[in-house]
Amino acid sequence: ETGSRWYQRRVRGLPQISSWTLLIDLEGLNLRHLWAPARMAMRRFTEVMEQNYPETLGEVLIVQAPPLFPLAWTLVKSFINENTRRKCLVYAGNDYLEEDGIHSYIHREDIPDFLGGPCPCEIECNGLVPREEYTRSTEDIVENESGLESLYKNVTLKKGENSRGPS
């Protein structure tokens, strides 16, 4: 059975993500963020998004853009696909709070508290994201994903062996 048919059988009835919104808060952006390693990280992030999620990206909401944002955008936009660029909406200062702001794209109850919404953010602003917030073990995923079974099996091989035994 092909992987896609296996996947379709397993996810039937589960909610599907047809589009998603990326919210980027630029509070505190300054010139030191525009040096080469930061630009390279942004380029890599953009490549991963465009290669893996090109059709599901809804909008990119950029909030609290500082006065230096036009310079930063000039450096960054050259390596962002034109279709993705058209999805970017930039809000300077606090104009994201106005009626035609991010409320038009994100349900009010889902706006993070640090941006004036009711949704609590349990990760300290400008702090490190705890590892447990972005990693899960394979066992945890298999146990907690509505009974999905793993496609992968662990095998330990010694020199001269293949997955069916000694050669």
Side-chain angles (χ1 to χ4, degrees), residues 36-138:
R39 289 193 320 267
M40 289 175 7
M42 181 62 186
R43 176 178 291 188
R44 181 67 186 128
F45 173 76
T46 304
E47 287 171 354
V48 168
M49 272 186 18
E50 290 176 348
Q51 290 171 3
N52 296 291
Y53 311 104
E55 301 302 321
T56 59
L57 178 61
E59 293 83 25
V60 178
L61 306 175
I62 301 169
V63 299
Q64 300 191 65
L68 110 101
F69 181 76
L71 171 64
W73 185 246
T74 301
L75 295 171
V76 170
K77 75 178 181 180
S78 63
F79 52 81
I80 298 176
N81 177 292
E82 179 62 32
N83 290 334
T84 304
R85 258 187 281 170
R86 276 187 250 139
K87 297 175 181 183
C88 295
L89 302 164
V90 180
Y91 297 95
N94 288 331
D95 65 351
Y96 66 91
L97 295 171
E98 296 174 9
E99 261 327 292
D100 61 343
I102 62 175
H103 303 103
S104 303
Y105 303 96
I106 301 175
H107 295 290
R108 289 184 188 274
E109 64 270 11
D110 293 329
I111 296 174
D113 56 2
F114 63 87
L115 291 177
C119 188
C121 181
E122 297 176 11
I123 299 170
E124 180 185 337
C125 291
N126 300 315
L128 294 175
V129 177
R131 185 173 182 86
E132 63 271 8
E133 295 294 331
Y134 61 88
T135 59
R136 297 190 308 178
S137 70
T138 305

Side-chain angles (χ1 to χ4, degrees), residues 3-65:
S4 63
R5 273 191 257 147
W6 179 91
Y7 177 78
Q8 289 302 320
R9 268 191 318 113
R10 297 296 192 267
V11 299
R12 218 172 266 130
L14 296 176
Q16 302 295 307
I17 296 174
S18 59
S19 94
W20 56 282
T21 300
L22 175 61
L23 178 63
I24 301 174
D25 181 8
L26 293 182
E27 181 180 31
L29 180 74
N30 60 49
L31 285 172
R32 79 167 184 253
H33 296 110
L34 303 181
W35 63 307
R39 289 193 320 267
M40 289 175 7
M42 181 62 186
R43 176 178 291 188
R44 181 67 186 128
F45 173 76
T46 304
E47 287 171 354
V48 168
M49 272 186 18
E50 290 176 348
Q51 290 171 3
N52 296 291
Y53 311 104
E55 301 302 321
T56 59
L57 178 61
E59 293 83 25
V60 178
L61 306 175
I62 301 169
V63 299
Q64 300 191 65

Side-chain angles (χ1 to χ4, degrees), residues 143-162:
E143 288 174 15
N144 296 313
E145 297 295 328
S146 303
L148 293 178
E149 300 167 11
S150 176
L151 285 173
Y152 305 100
K153 304 288 182 218
N154 290 328
V155 177
T156 303
L157 299 174
K158 296 178 183 165
K159 186 175 180 180
E161 293 181 333
N162 62 36

